[in-house]
Amino acid sequence: MIWPILLLSILCHTPEDSHIAGLGRYGIGVTTLDSINRSSFTEVEPVLVKGTLALTCDQVRLFTAQSVDINGLSVKNLSLVFYDGRLFQISCDVDDELQKMFRLNYRQGIHASAKRLNLCGTQTNKLLTIEGESWQDGDVRARLIQARGYDSNCQTIASLRLVISDQRVSALCSACDLSAINPFLEAFDQVIAGHR
């Protein structure tokens, strides 16, 4: 059970001095390509420049795993994105246990009120609702993004994802298409920017 491990980590530090550094053994700016267990991950090749079919982002490498154990917690659909061999973005599905753990360690984030978007074209009654929380710690930003409703293919979707990234490196990679792993990240960032 994760609670004894979580309780121990909370006793070792207080939320005031905790820093968002990553997720378990996957540290933003610390984890290198050489340090991950490649047998647990599949590399997604290539990462393309947005709007192109052939231009690649050569410095960016993306690895995904269906499920990875992190400190006794089974994390689903984990994605690790590297720039020049260093981890700059982590994203994964969030269940109740991971959400509780994250909030216990970092308290409540800045809440983004629900925003409704029409991604479904002419069907104006099929909207997507995006909301969540955001935490900022220096260049590292964490977002808990909840999306529910209808996606751009007019299919029903319910998603809760955690995205932790180095904002400075993310800006360098802004032309790279990572929407397959985080389809609602840009929309959420627009929502949260409207609350500042």
Side-chain angles (χ1 to χ4, degrees), residues 22 61 67 78 91 112:
R61 293 180 69 186
S67 180
L78 178 66
S91 63

Side-chain angles (χ1 to χ4, degrees), residues 110-114 190-196:
I110 297 169
H111 181 74
S113 299
Q190 291 171 0
V191 170
I192 201 77
H195 287 84
R196 291 182 181 185

Side-chain angles (χ1 to χ4, degrees), residues 77-121:
N77 295 317
L78 178 66
S79 298
L80 304 177
V81 188
F82 294 84
Y83 178 80
D84 281 342
R86 292 224 175 258
L87 183 64
F88 82 91
Q89 186 178 95
I90 303 166
S91 63
C92 63
D93 288 347
V94 176
D95 62 12
D96 289 342
E97 210 167 343
L98 180 58
Q99 187 172 5
K100 286 176 191 173
M101 182 183 77
F102 201 81
R103 285 187 176 147
L104 279 172
N105 281 318
Y106 304 113
R107 297 185 180 187
Q108 290 291 121
I110 297 169
H111 181 74
S113 299
K115 181 173 183 176
R116 299 181 69 141
L117 306 170
N118 182 359
L119 302 180
C120 192

Side-chain angles (χ1 to χ4, degrees), residues 103 107-112 131-135 142-144 188:
R103 285 187 176 147
R107 297 185 180 187
Q108 290 291 121
I110 297 169
H111 181 74
E131 62 185 319
E133 291 177 72
S134 177
W135 294 262
R143 284 92 108 200
L144 190 61
F188 179 78

Side-chain angles (χ1 to χ4, degrees), residues 50-78:
K50 292 177 184 174
T52 71
L53 296 175
L55 295 176
T56 60
C57 293
D58 294 329
Q59 311 90 327
V60 177
R61 293 180 69 186
L62 167 61
F63 293 83
T64 62
Q66 293 277 325
S67 180
V68 174
D69 181 77
I70 299 177
N71 299 337
L73 184 65
S74 179
V75 176
K76 306 288 184 207
N77 295 317
L78 178 66

Side-chain angles (χ1 to χ4, degrees), residues 25-26 32-42 63 80:
R25 64 183 168 274
Y26 304 108
T32 63
L33 276 172
D34 298 332
S35 68
I36 67 168
N37 180 356
R38 298 276 181 104
S39 66
S40 300
F41 289 90
T42 302
F63 293 83
L80 304 177

